[in-house]
Every structure is written in C-alpha cells, then in structure tokens.
Amino acid sequence: PVVDIYEDFQCPICKQFEALNGKFLNSLVTEKKAVVRFHTLSFLGTESVRAANAVACANEEDKFLDYHLALYANQPAVENSGEWSNDRLISIAETVGLTSESFKSCVNDLKFEGWVGDVADAGAKSGINSTPTVLVGGKEIDRNTEYFDAAKFKAAVERG
C-alpha cells in the first residue's frame, strides 16, 4: 500500500500519533512492506519550517527515519517557543549520529526552505488542512477511530 502522512513537527497531536504508530510505520519502510511518504508541513510557523528543512537535510544523509523520531522525542512543550533554533536542531541530530558539516550547513542555510513551501502548497491544494492526516491508497482513513488505535491503524494500512 501507499501511505501518505501529513505532519508538522510542532504539532502535539502528531507527536501522539508518532508515539503510537511510528515504529510500525518505520517497519513498513525498512521492511519494504509499503511506500510511506511523509509530507512535512509547516502550519505552525518558522520553527516548523526549520524542522521540516532539517529533516530534509537528514534525508540527504540517509538518516530520515532516525531524525524523524528524534524530532518528535524532543518536541518543545510549547509551539513557537524559540526552542527549535538551528543550533538545537543540529544538537538533536547529533543524538542520531548526524554530525557532518554538510548537514550543519544544510540546516543553517535553510537549503530546503523552498521545498518546504512547495510541500505546504501541495498539501493545501490537496485539501489537507490539519495534521496529522493519513491517506492510505489516496483515501483518508478514519481520523476518529483509526489514527489512535494501533491495531485499527495497522489494519487500515494493511487493507490498503
């Protein structure tokens, strides 16, 4: 199946979703049991843009999944609190072995800022107006019953 996840790294509900379903989603990717496409949105402002840029930088170094988990594990308690500076995003990356100068430059230069904007625009054009949003096979699964029940989420993905 193809699974599209629309998320914002500052979104507290996204953090709850990731805590419940993240390991399952990562196993789908690593075991090649599904195509999982993460759409990193930036609804919540500048720090969301920085985080989305940083995860794109991590992807360049084949550390997307590890860094993705680390960002949610280190999500600030308050949105747009100033905690997710470039220095803090780089510090979080070090916990997953991302220490290269190319990664640091990518984060500091906001190399993927344009891409982050394009992802946000594409999400808006697709009618995505909240995070998390999960589509399986192009159809949104039931937000009320399947997002936060691990067994139902797994079944929805496996149904394809």
Side-chain angles (χ1 to χ4, degrees):
V2 176
V3 182
D4 289 284
I5 311 265
Y6 292 84
E7 62 187 346
D8 185 317
F9 287 107
Q10 285 197 95
C11 163
I13 305 302
C14 295
K15 180 180 180 176
Q16 291 173 12
F17 174 82
E18 176 66 23
L20 184 63
N21 299 304
K23 287 182 183 180
F24 171 66
L25 287 168
N26 289 358
S27 74
L28 291 174
V29 173
T30 58
E31 296 170 21
K32 298 180 176 28
K33 291 184 176 180
V35 174
V36 180
R37 298 184 296 211
F38 294 92
H39 305 267
T40 52
L41 300 179
S42 48
F43 285 138
L44 299 174
T46 304
E47 290 185 58
S48 295
V49 172
R50 280 193 207 118
N53 175 74
V55 82
C57 297
N59 188 59
E60 276 199 324
E61 302 205 15
D62 296 322
K63 290 283 194 177
F64 177 87
L65 292 176
D66 293 338
Y67 192 59
H68 183 267
L69 288 171
L71 284 177
Y72 280 118
N74 289 279
Q75 185 185 76
V78 177
E79 299 164 10
N80 295 312
S81 62
E83 282 188 55
W84 272 2
S85 64
N86 288 344
D87 287 343
R88 178 70 177 125
L89 292 166
I90 290 168
S91 175
I92 293 168
E94 290 170 357
T95 68
V96 298
L98 268 168
T99 59
S100 72
E101 288 304 315
S102 60
F103 175 80
K104 293 174 187 175
S105 294
C106 184
V107 170
N108 285 322
D109 296 342
L110 288 170
K111 178 179 177 179
F112 292 103
E113 184 176 26
W115 172 81
V116 170
D118 291 346
V119 171
D121 291 345
K125 286 178 185 171
S126 297
I128 305 300
N129 57 17
S130 65
T131 55
T133 295
V134 182
L135 308 178
V136 178
K139 296 179 183 176
E140 185 173 0
I141 64 171
D142 190 320
R143 180 181 301 272
N144 296 317
T145 61
E146 295 173 321
Y147 278 36
F148 297 99
D149 181 312
K152 288 181 181 179
F153 180 76
K154 182 178 179 182
V157 169
E158 290 173 348
R159 271 194 319 267

